[in-house]
Amino acid sequence: MNSNIPFQSQSNNQPLVLPPLTPETIKRAREGLEAARLLNAEGIVQKSLYQTEALTQEKSDLKRRGWIRWLCIRTIIHSLFRVKVEHLDRLSSQPVIIAPNHLSHIDPFLILSEIPYQPYYYILGDARTLYNKFWKRVFLRYSGGTIPIERIWKEELAVLEAAKAGEEHLTELAAAIEQEVPKGNSIQSLRRLERIVQGIFAQNQGIIMFPEGRLGFQEGELFLPLKRGTVIYALKTGVPILPVGIIGTKNLYLYKELTLRFGEPLRFPKINRPQPKDIQIVLETLQAAIYDLLPQNYQEPDELKLFRNFLNHMLW
């Protein structure tokens, strides 16, 4: 087992660690608010969810959509980077939940560029990250295959806490966040997501989910604790989890070698109502499996880093 697993409590009841209140944190919170306003004004999330629900009923269209999406993404990825794939044979033709570590917004597209276009894999991710740029919205509208999640960002929570603590210059921003940023935790939203996931697996398709729930800080590490969603869906449906290690995407530049390392599928008994202890056992198993796929002492290559700034920010 990889020895760089940090010794820390993995209880999902531990206090949420918020980022320090820096100008960058406030700027990110403002960007999130603007993205939320755009999504709300144009109804982008609801339109995407409606499209995804429709796709789960149109199996004949998925093969064409999957091939077009795969061809476009693969052409772009392979024109910019060198990609190394290890143990792709561990990905079966049966539905699985692909569960990778997360270093960059390019990660889901990197995975889609290397796996077969059938079964068709949906991306479950943060709505404001998926749709924050015009070209992303256009591409995802035509390619489909996204399950947007509405949730509040940690930077926004940091602003809310600071305003409550008396930072008066943040009062207006905090009020706008409270009013306009969807939390996404309503019973109706959660039931709709579960219905969509059930429909995807019933159609023999798969899902890509990032159990960290946000970007990690550095190569070879995970942002802990892992989120419970991946595990809950796996236990409720009986669908295996396929851990994947992504290496090299934290710092992108032209023709850099990026590695996808597929692990052995993790299979667990189906449980209609998983208890906290069941979820925790699977979380710990998944965490260890992903760590085993990551480098223990990653060294950034000593080579010319062309277009680094552009490639690291093109998907933000």
Side-chain angles (χ1 to χ4, degrees), residues 130-313:
L130 287 170
Y131 297 102
N132 65 341
K133 291 187 178 180
F134 175 75
W135 67 267
K136 286 187 189 180
R137 295 193 291 276
V138 172
F139 176 77
L140 293 175
R141 184 183 305 127
Y142 287 101
S143 65
T146 56
I147 309 172
I149 299 175
E150 294 183 292
R151 60 189 175 194
I152 193 165
W153 293 352
K154 289 187 177 181
E155 292 86 352
E156 293 164 335
L157 290 173
V159 168
L160 293 177
E161 289 301 314
K164 290 177 183 177
E167 298 279 354
E168 294 183 2
H169 67 288
L170 296 175
T171 301
E172 184 178 347
L173 175 59
I177 290 171
E178 285 276 17
Q179 183 176 354
E180 300 184 60
V181 173
K183 308 302 186 294
N185 56 358
S186 69
I187 296 298
Q188 183 181 4
S189 297
L190 295 175
R191 285 178 176 171
R192 187 177 191 184
L193 283 175
E194 186 166 339
R195 185 171 66 248
I196 290 173
V197 170
Q198 293 278 3
I200 288 169
F201 292 138
Q203 202 184 54
N204 231 27
Q205 313 301 330
I207 295 176
I208 300 172
M209 295 182 66
F210 293 93
E212 290 170 275
R214 59 155 293 161
L215 298 181
F217 291 120
Q218 62 184 12
E219 297 278 356
E221 295 293 340
L222 291 174
F223 188 89
L224 300 174
L226 300 182
K227 302 295 184 182
R228 295 151 42 101
T230 304
V231 166
I232 291 173
Y233 286 139
L235 289 174
K236 284 188 173 183
T237 62
V239 172
I241 301 174
L242 186 72
V244 177
I246 300 178
I247 304 165
T249 63
K250 190 61 182 177
N251 182 25
L252 298 171
Y253 51 85
L254 190 63
Y255 303 138
K256 184 180 185 182
E257 181 176 274
L258 310 179
T259 300
L260 287 180
R261 188 174 291 160
F262 289 80
E264 295 285 355
L266 305 176
R267 295 180 170 84
F268 306 95
K270 182 177 178 179
I271 305 175
N272 290 328
R273 295 182 178 226
Q275 300 302 306
K277 64 178 181 178
D278 303 315
I279 295 169
Q280 189 60 33
I281 290 172
V282 180
L283 277 173
E284 292 173 357
T285 303
L286 175 59
Q287 177 185 316
I290 297 176
Y291 262 120
D292 278 344
L293 300 170
L294 301 179
Q296 295 190 32
N297 298 292
Y298 178 83
Q299 297 294 321
E300 192 67 28
D302 183 16
E303 56 190 3
L304 186 63
K305 296 175 172 58
L306 295 172
F307 302 109
R308 178 170 59 180
N309 186 63
F310 169 74
L311 292 174
N312 280 308
H313 293 90

Side-chain angles (χ1 to χ4, degrees), residues 9 34 37 57 63 67-68 75 89 93 123 182 190 211 221 227 259 262 266:
S9 169
E34 291 305 313
R37 286 170 171 168
Q57 308 298 322
K63 187 172 183 179
W67 182 82
I68 293 173
T75 299
D89 57 300
S93 58
I123 304 169
L190 295 175
E221 295 293 340
K227 302 295 184 182
T259 300
F262 289 80
L266 305 176

